[in-house]
């Protein structure tokens, strides 16, 4: 193929991609603002758009023109399957029709298309799990023991997945189409209309002058970004291109720079008031209001970021990390520029007011997005040239939103298939019963198993999909053992989020290490160091419901005090500060403080608090170990 036809083909592809992205944004805006279609129209229509857009955004990188032709064939076949469901929506809703041979073929093509897109987005791990679940449904009758079942033939599987409202068109696909997508659009518009730069500047002003200021600035900025975007990987890719080079320019170790960005971006999904996408799914699964989820998440999120800040502060002191130059810190005047700040505040205010007035989550996001865009255009268009600049910003926001739509929807469709198979085969009940029976005598060990399952199932998968998988399979078992439902689901959400920074498949770390141009293993080790207290935090709020705002003021206060002492103690150990001057005596001291704080009694709490206050004044065992300098050099690395 000559260069000219190839160039024309590329331009045509860009035109098609832009058209599909704008169509998807318009669909989300109209249905969230003016009313949704019935489930069997809204959900297939949205998945249809996402499959077409997915192949446009993530085209085949192999086989040249033949690869593109295959992509088009797969996309059209999947679109036909979705369109068939829309055409037969009334029939499916009223009669639950039997599957025909063409229905089986359409489902196979739709599954092949979605699995292909999953592989291109997140690799093989999650799609392989989807395939295994489908094989388990069909061949379960040949599996012996508790996990065997009577088997499901392809006819009934097609009727469930394609021709019913509990298969592909179930809750998770619906949440993607009606709840998550409007918030993804809101977040994309915030970041592309000046809100992103405002977040960066505020972070620089708040923390730029303190020890480890560049790392703290990255933590604040990434937390604010992640709260809106709801995706750790997207957040690292966006803010990391600004924060990681800044830290490296100030001679921060490359692996620490990458780790700070990966951890802070992960925490943004857990920070109220938005908490990414998973909080909306949790509200549906737990059966409580979204505001209840937000209230429960406030104190753990504060402890999450407080622990990162404290470890960074101690590391900056130990490693003598340089400060951000004064001339690079923006003034408050430029930070709070009205043409950037007012649209952000107007959008957030409109969203929050709508939520508190009892409007639906999707309409609230629509209201926030509309108010933000209106304020942005009003404040930023003063002459003809501004029209093009503002239009380009909104188009960039639409493209970013469309990428977010595709990633979340395709993966949630995969998660919906797994959940449907779990319900169809009864394996969820089997697993739940085995856990309940196995841990009846030692219920304290059940959360450990569930945490490990979250980390494994979350490998390479966005937080929302990982959370839904484990919440569907294992959370019921913990609830049956006796753990409170809201605490259990938050526990699962935290470990689903932490899977993004936990080896061996830690996608947020991979992206951060690529930007930092260093080994991902080094970034992962520093990320786990920064997150050391966070891995304990979910276990702590399972034991201390006061951290979730449950109980009387005394219980809440005591829970916060105990958790704070544990967080400080873990930070002292993880940063190396605990033994820098007192050797193993200091290490034992801070471990003892954490252990005392774990005991649910006031004397133990008082003892832990007293030790933590006296710790800085206790006599040092050593002033400097001969190997301290070399040890620090090894810690810092490149």
């Amino acid at each position: 193929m000559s260069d000219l036809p190839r160039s024309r083909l590329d331009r045509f592809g860009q035109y098609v991609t832009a058209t599909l992205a704008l169509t998807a944004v318009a669909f989300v805006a109209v249905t969230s603002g003016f009313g949704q279609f019935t489930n069997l129209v809204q959900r297939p229509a949205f998945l249809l758009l996402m499959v077409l857009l997915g192949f446009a955004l993530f085209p085949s990188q192999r086989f040249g023109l033949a690869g593109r032709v295959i992509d088009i064939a797969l996309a059209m076949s999947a679109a036909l399957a979705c369109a068939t469901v829309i055409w037969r929506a009334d029939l499916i809703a009223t009669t639950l029709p039997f599957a025909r041979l063409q229905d089986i073929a359409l489902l196979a093509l739709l599954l092949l298309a979605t699995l292909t897109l999953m592989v291109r987005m997140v690799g093989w791990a999650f799609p392989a799990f989807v395939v295994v679940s489908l094989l388990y449904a069909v061949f379960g009758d040949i599996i012996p023991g508790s996990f065997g079942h009577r088997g499901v033939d392809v006819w009934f599987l097609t009727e469930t997945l394609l021709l019913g409202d509990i298969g592909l068109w179930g809750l998770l696909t619906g949440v993607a189409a009606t709840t998550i997508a409007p918030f993804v659009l809101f977040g994309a518009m915030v970041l592309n209309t000046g809100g992103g730069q405002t977040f960066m500047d505020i972070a620089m002003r708040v923390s730029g002058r303190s020890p480890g200021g560049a790392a703290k600035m990255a933590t604040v900025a990434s937390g604010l970004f992640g709260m809106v975007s709801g995706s750790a990987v997207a957040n690292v890719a966006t803010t990391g291109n600004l924060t990681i080079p800044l830290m490296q320019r100030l001679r921060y170790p490359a692996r620490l720079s990458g780790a700070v960005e990966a951890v802070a971006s992960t925490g943004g999904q857990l920070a109220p008031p938005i908490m990414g996408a998973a909080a909306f799914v949790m509200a549906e699964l737990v059966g409580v209001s979204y505001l209840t989820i937000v209230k429960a998440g406030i104190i753990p999120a504060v402890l999450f970021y407080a622990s990162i800040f404290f470890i960074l502060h101690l590391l900056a002191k130990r490693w003598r990390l340089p400060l951000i130059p004064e001339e690079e810190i923006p003034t408050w005047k430029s930070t709070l520029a009205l043409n950037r700040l007012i649209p952000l505040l107007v959008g957030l205010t409109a969203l929050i007011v709508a939520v508190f007035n009892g409007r639906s989550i999707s309409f609230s996001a629509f209201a926030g997005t509309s108010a933000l865009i209106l304020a942005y255009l009003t404040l930023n268009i003063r002459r003809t040239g501004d029209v093009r600049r503002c239009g380009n910003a909104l188009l960039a926001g639409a493209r970013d939103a469309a990428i977010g739509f595709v990633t979340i929807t395709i993966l949630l469709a995969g998660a919906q298939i797994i959940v449907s198979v779990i319900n169809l085969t009864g394996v969820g009940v089997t697993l739940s019963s085995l856990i309940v029976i196995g841990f009846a005598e030692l219920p304290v060990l059940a959360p450990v198993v569930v945490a490990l399952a979250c980390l494994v199932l979350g490998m390479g998968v966005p937080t929302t999909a990982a959370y839904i998988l484990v919440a569907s399979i294992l959370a019921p078992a913990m609830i049956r053992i006796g753990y409170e439902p809201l605490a259990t689901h938050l526990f699962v959400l935290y470990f689903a989020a932490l899977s993004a920074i936990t080896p061996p498949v830690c996608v947020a770390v991979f992206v951060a290490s690529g930007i930092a141009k260093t080994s991902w293993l080094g970034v992962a080790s520093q990320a786990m160091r920064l997150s050391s207290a966070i891995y304990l935090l979910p276990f702590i709020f399972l034991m201390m419901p006061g951290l979730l705002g449950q109980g009387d003021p005394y219980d809440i206060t005591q829970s916060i005090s105990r958790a704070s002492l544990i967080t400080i103690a873990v930070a002292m150990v993880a940063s190396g500060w605990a033994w820098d001057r007192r050797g193993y005596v200091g290490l034992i001291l801070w471990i003892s403080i954490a252990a005392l704080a774990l005991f649910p009694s006031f004397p133990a709490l008082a003892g832990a608090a007293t030790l933590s206050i006296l710790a800085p004044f206790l006599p040092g065992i050593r002033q400097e170990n001969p190997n301290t300098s070399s040890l620090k050099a090894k810690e810092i690395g490149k």
Side-chain angles (χ1 to χ4, degrees), residues 233-363:
V233 177
N235 198 18
V236 172
T238 303
T239 59
N241 280 302
L242 299 173
T243 59
I244 292 175
L246 172 62
M247 287 185 276
Q248 289 184 289
R249 184 160 51 82
L250 294 173
R251 302 194 307 279
Y252 280 54
R255 56 184 183 176
L256 177 65
S257 303
V260 169
E261 181 59 44
V263 174
S265 296
T266 298
Q269 303 169 94
L270 307 170
I274 298 177
M275 296 181 69
F280 307 117
V281 182
M282 187 186 300
E284 296 278 349
L285 295 181
V286 181
V288 298
S289 70
Y290 169 69
L291 293 178
T292 301
I293 304 291
V294 169
K295 177 186 173 183
I298 291 174
I299 298 172
V302 170
L303 289 171
F304 185 114
Y305 281 100
S307 68
I308 298 174
F309 255 66
F310 194 37
I311 292 178
L312 286 175
H313 186 82
L314 295 175
L315 286 176
K317 289 283 194 180
R318 292 184 69 229
W319 293 353
R320 297 181 177 87
L321 298 177
L323 301 178
I324 297 176
E326 185 67 29
E327 61 272 15
E328 295 190 22
I329 298 178
T331 64
W332 278 115
K333 182 179 179 180
S334 63
T335 298
L336 303 179
L338 296 182
N339 65 325
R340 295 184 328 198
L341 182 64
I342 289 180
L344 174 63
L345 294 178
V346 167
L348 288 173
T349 301
L351 186 154
I352 293 170
V353 168
V355 169
F356 277 94
N357 282 337
R359 305 304 296 265
S360 69
I361 294 298
S362 57
F363 180 83

Side-chain angles (χ1 to χ4, degrees), residues 421-452:
V421 169
I422 289 168
N423 294 331
L424 194 62
T425 60
V427 68
V429 176
T430 301
L431 278 171
S432 181
S433 299
L434 289 175
I435 290 175
V436 171
I437 294 170
F439 295 102
E441 299 298 325
L442 286 171
V444 72
L445 294 181
V448 177
V449 174
V450 173
L452 292 174

